[in-house]
């Protein structure tokens, strides 16, 4: 089951990464699209660092964290963090061009960075757990991770002409939840059956909420105003030195104009 989780999480994470590049390219031109790579690496590294800290204080954690309950929990956290991060990203007033003039933009940028790193943190966590719990099958873990990543890179190419970026991120984030519906080797145990019911109930709730966000949310919840941010980010409205009437200027000129006023 953990190999399936590695495959599906890698698929969803790579799809999320590619779609983030597109979203940043639309909303902030190309200035922040490169940051997606650092976000991904930071999230994966944080997952491995977290396990290294655990190993310092508790030995034998591999068996405990590789149990089906914990893999299900990490998968659910991945889906929730992905959906929440893209919604928050489309709601916070992050504007790269205002960064030299408004210090609060640095806070918005840090918030977006940390939130967007969370899905990659949980992905790196599960992949690292798979390597640690199955040292004799590292080749299979590597294959599952690479195959999932390759599949995730194809998803945006196929579906972007038909589905909006934010909606496609939500849909791809739901894919790893398939793990919670897989059959467990000890499926006859009462404890296993009870926990599986809870996990499936949580997953069904996430599916319903995601469907409502996509179908009913529209521009106000999921999609935001990404197609319009780029045009508005190019221009600022500042009063000129001679008049209090706002004047439209380009972003580069607005910084000079603000310094002179």
């Amino acid at each position: 089951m953990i190999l399936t989780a590695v495959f599906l999480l890698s698929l969803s994470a790579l799809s999320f990464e590619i779609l983030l590049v597109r979203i940043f390219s639309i909303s902030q031109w190309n200035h922040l699209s490169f940051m997606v790579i650092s976000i991904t690496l930071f999230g994966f590294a944080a997952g491995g660092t977290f396990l290294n800290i655990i190993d310092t204080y508790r030995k034998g954690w591999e068996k405990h964290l590789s149990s089906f309950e914990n893999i299900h929990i990490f998968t659910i956290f991945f889906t929730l963090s992905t959906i929440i991060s893209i919604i928050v990203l489309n709601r916070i007033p992050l504007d790269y061009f205002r960064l030299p003039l408004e210090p609060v933009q640095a806070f918005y940028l840090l918030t977006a960075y940390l939130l967007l790193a969370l899905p990659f943190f949980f992905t790196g966590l599960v992949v690292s757990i798979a390597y640690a719990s199955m040292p004799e099958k590292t080749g299979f873990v590597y294959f599952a991770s690479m195959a999932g990543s390759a599949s995730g890179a194809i998803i945006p190419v196929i579906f972007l002409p038909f589905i909006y970026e934010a909606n496609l991120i939500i849909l791809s984030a739901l894919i790893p939840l398939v793990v919670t519906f897989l059959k467990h080797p000890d499926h006859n145990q009462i404890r296993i059956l009870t926990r599986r019911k809870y996990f499936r109930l949580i997953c069904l709730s996430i599916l319903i909420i995601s469907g409502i966000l996509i179908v009913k949310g529209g521009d106000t919840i999921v999609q935001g105003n990404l197609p319009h941010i780029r045009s508005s980010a190019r221009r600022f409205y500042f009063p000129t030195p001679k008049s209090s009437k706002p004047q439209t200027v380009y972003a580069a000129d607005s910084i000079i104009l603000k310094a002179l006023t």
Side-chain angles (χ1 to χ4, degrees):
M1 183 192 70
I2 192 170
L3 291 178
T4 305
V6 169
F7 174 84
L8 295 178
L9 286 171
S10 299
L11 181 152
S12 185
L14 254 292
S15 178
F16 182 45
E17 180 181 359
I18 294 174
L19 291 169
L20 273 182
V21 172
R22 181 176 174 88
I23 287 178
F24 274 130
S25 297
I26 295 174
S27 62
Q28 307 290 340
W29 290 64
N30 63 318
H31 300 288
L32 292 184
S33 58
F34 70 89
M35 191 179 72
V36 176
I37 299 176
S38 67
I39 291 175
T40 304
L41 295 177
F42 175 76
F44 274 99
T49 303
F50 177 75
L51 292 180
N52 187 54
I53 294 174
I54 291 180
D55 185 65
T56 304
Y57 296 97
R58 181 176 179 178
K59 301 299 180 180
W61 53 267
E62 301 91 343
K63 183 177 180 181
H64 175 70
L65 291 182
S66 62
S67 63
F68 91 98
E69 296 100 332
N70 287 314
I71 297 301
H72 288 179
I73 291 173
F74 296 145
T75 302
I76 291 173
F77 281 166
F78 168 86
T79 301
L80 289 176
S81 61
T82 303
I83 295 175
I84 293 173
S85 64
I86 193 60
I87 293 176
V88 174
L89 177 64
N90 290 345
R91 295 297 97 198
I92 60 176
L94 174 62
D95 193 336
Y96 173 82
F97 292 95
R98 293 184 179 272
L99 191 58
L101 304 177
E102 300 178 359
V104 70
Q105 292 296 329
F107 172 76
Y108 294 147
L109 185 62
L110 178 62
T111 301
Y113 193 98
L114 295 178
L115 279 176
L116 293 174
L118 281 177
F120 301 107
F121 168 80
F122 292 113
T123 303
L125 203 62
V126 173
V127 173
S128 299
I129 291 172
Y131 277 116
S133 62
M134 298 187 300
E136 73 285 355
K137 297 182 179 180
T138 54
F140 291 100
V141 178
Y142 184 79
F143 175 79
S145 178
M146 292 298 102
S149 300
S151 302
I154 298 175
I155 288 180
V157 178
I158 298 176
F159 294 102
L160 265 180
F162 313 102
I163 306 176
Y164 187 81
E165 289 89 347
N167 292 344
L168 186 55
I169 286 178
I170 293 178
L171 291 175
S172 62
L174 298 175
I175 296 176
L177 294 181
V178 173
V179 175
T180 60
F181 294 92
L182 296 179
K183 188 175 182 180
H184 192 269
D186 299 326
H187 65 279
N188 291 325
Q189 295 185 11
I190 298 178
R191 180 180 63 88
I192 301 295
L193 290 174
T194 303
R195 294 190 178 184
R196 287 188 65 185
K197 288 180 180 179
Y198 288 133
F199 286 131
R200 290 181 177 181
L201 181 61
I202 294 173
C203 292
L204 289 175
S205 301
I206 296 174
L207 289 172
I208 293 173
I209 295 173
S210 300
I212 294 174
L213 289 175
I214 294 174
V215 176
K216 300 293 185 181
D219 294 338
T220 59
I221 299 180
V222 179
Q223 295 181 355
N225 295 312
L226 290 179
H228 311 291
I229 291 177
R230 188 170 187 173
S231 60
S232 63
R234 294 183 61 210
R235 297 172 178 268
F236 291 146
Y237 294 88
F238 291 111
T240 62
K242 297 181 180 180
S243 173
S244 59
K245 183 179 180 180
Q247 176 179 334
T248 303
V249 292
Y250 287 101
D253 297 333
S254 66
I255 299 176
I256 301 175
L257 181 59
K258 183 65 176 179
L260 295 175
T261 55

